[in-house]
Amino acid sequence: MSYTNGLDKPSDYFNTVLYTGNVSGQSITGVGFQPDFLWIKARSDAYQHSVRNIIRGSTKTLRANDTNAEATQSDSVTSFDSDGFTLGADSSSFVNQNSSTYVAWNWLGSNTTASNTDGDVTSTVCVNTTSGVSIIEVSNLNSNSFGHGLGAEPEFIMNKRTDNTANWRVYFKGITSGKSLFLNTTAAETTESSRITSASSSTITVAGSGNGGSAGTGTSVYFAFKSIKGFSKFGTYTGNGNADGTFVYTGFKPAWLMVKKSVGNARAWVIHDNKRDIDNPTASRLDANTNEAAQSSGH
């Protein structure tokens, strides 16, 4: 994600904020918009990642680092607000522990939801075509398709069953046919039958019917993204093993970066942002697949 070039003000569509917990409830401001996709992680402590979205509601949370079904936490994130979000006093939710430090990554959708009938199964979507972000809820999938509303092919998609224990499936354009990545593990590309198989300018297609995968009789959420010049870029690169690494051209200075080794040895999903590290080199990393606190080690 970028704050320069492209969109007039990219921070109107994505922003990172840092805060310190107080366990008694507080409003987190400075986001600049009402977030529709909110991802919170403790920096100072080994607490679970918390992923929330407008369709499921602020009190519903998924953990990026495990397979658990969605949990309801009525006094954790109590609302999405015009300039951020409000935290309650529920200490068991681990998003507002006293004196713990946190990072919150925020994406703007449309602040509204709508039905989409483009595919075989009707979906509920919250879409921002300007920034290339779509949040989707869909149920009762069985080797069929559903609409995403982006108007262009998404290049990166994450999905998680809300009602059942299941891995986070990850699809990106160019992934090896028949394979998936899992956000909650370090595994490289893995062959499986229940997965996202393809995406078009209007729909996402899944295979399989197993209740633990991308399909099944229950409900899943999907987060779909397409590259927007000067704001976002999704793709692959080949490492060179050198101390100064490989230069990867994005066309802008990223404000948020997630990297995963897709083939070969197992490696973490490493996340950097420009609020925890305001200058290069960006040493502070959080891993999507673990609850560990921020580290300064390499990939």
Side-chain angles (χ1 to χ4, degrees):
M1 305 297 175
S2 168
Y3 290 101
T4 59
N5 304 321
L7 301 178
D8 289 341
K9 192 177 180 185
S11 58
D12 283 346
Y13 302 89
F14 171 82
N15 206 355
T16 298
V17 295
L18 308 178
Y19 68 91
T20 301
N22 66 7
V23 88
S24 62
Q26 58 177 320
S27 293
I28 305 302
T29 59
V31 173
F33 53 83
Q34 177 183 306
D36 293 315
F37 171 19
L38 170 63
W39 185 341
I40 298 173
K41 178 66 182 79
R43 302 154 56 203
S44 55
D45 298 276
Y47 299 147
Q48 308 285 355
H49 291 257
S50 179
V51 178
R52 301 165 192 255
N53 70 86
I54 183 177
I55 300 176
R56 300 300 297 169
S58 66
T59 62
K60 305 287 188 180
T61 184
L62 290 165
R63 298 173 174 178
N65 55 285
D66 68 26
T67 63
N68 287 6
E70 181 182 76
T72 300
Q73 299 172 336
S74 59
D75 197 24
S76 53
V77 178
T78 58
S79 64
F80 299 134
D81 307 326
S82 61
D83 189 30
F85 52 94
T86 298
L87 298 170
D90 180 5
S91 61
S92 66
S93 68
F94 298 109
V95 296
N96 194 25
Q97 294 291 302
N98 194 41
S99 299
S100 293
T101 59
Y102 294 86
V103 59
W105 302 304
N106 302 264
W107 286 263
L108 174 68
S110 58
N111 289 164
T112 59
T113 63
S115 293
N116 185 298
T117 59
D118 287 340
D120 303 320
V121 177
T122 298
S123 59
T124 300
V125 300
C126 175
V127 184
N128 195 307
T129 56
T130 301
S131 60
V133 176
S134 179
I135 305 158
I136 309 150
E137 178 190 81
V138 64
S139 301
N140 301 320
L141 290 172
N142 186 7
S143 295
N144 44 27
S145 63
F146 57 92
H148 53 70
L150 286 171
E153 179 184 351
E155 297 153 82
F156 182 84
I157 306 167
M158 304 185 297
N159 98 275
K160 176 69 177 72
R161 286 290 300 271
T162 64
D163 61 315
N164 201 52
T165 300
N167 285 315
W168 283 79
R169 265 70 182 179
V170 176
Y171 163 95
F172 67 92
K173 188 176 181 180
I175 195 170
T176 303
S177 178
K179 296 182 181 291
S180 294
L181 289 167
F182 303 130
L183 185 68
N184 54 285
T185 79
T186 60
E189 288 183 349
T190 302
T191 301
E192 62 166 1
S193 58
S194 184
R195 67 187 190 282
I196 302 167
T197 58
S198 63
S200 71
S201 61
S202 59
T203 62
I204 295 167
T205 300
V206 301
S209 58
N211 284 337
S214 297
T217 57
T219 299
S220 293
V221 291
Y222 289 74
F223 302 91
F225 303 84
K226 65 178 293 291
S227 295
I228 298 293
K229 184 178 181 180
F231 177 72
S232 60
K233 185 69 175 177
F234 305 90
T236 62
Y237 68 91
T238 301
N240 61 17
N242 295 337
D244 59 354
T246 303
F247 174 73
V248 180
Y249 180 75
T250 62
F252 54 85
K253 183 178 180 179
W256 189 86
L257 174 67
M258 183 163 69
V259 178
K260 174 71 176 78
K261 192 173 189 294
S262 60
V263 295
N265 296 337
R267 291 290 187 271
W269 292 83
V270 177
I271 300 175
H272 297 281
D273 64 68
N274 68 347
K275 296 297 177 65
R276 289 179 296 127
D277 274 313
I278 61 174
D279 298 311
N280 289 325
T282 55
S284 180
R285 57 176 277 192
L286 286 163
D287 296 347
N289 53 277
T290 178
N291 69 346
E292 292 179 355
Q295 306 171 60
S296 295
S297 59
H299 293 191

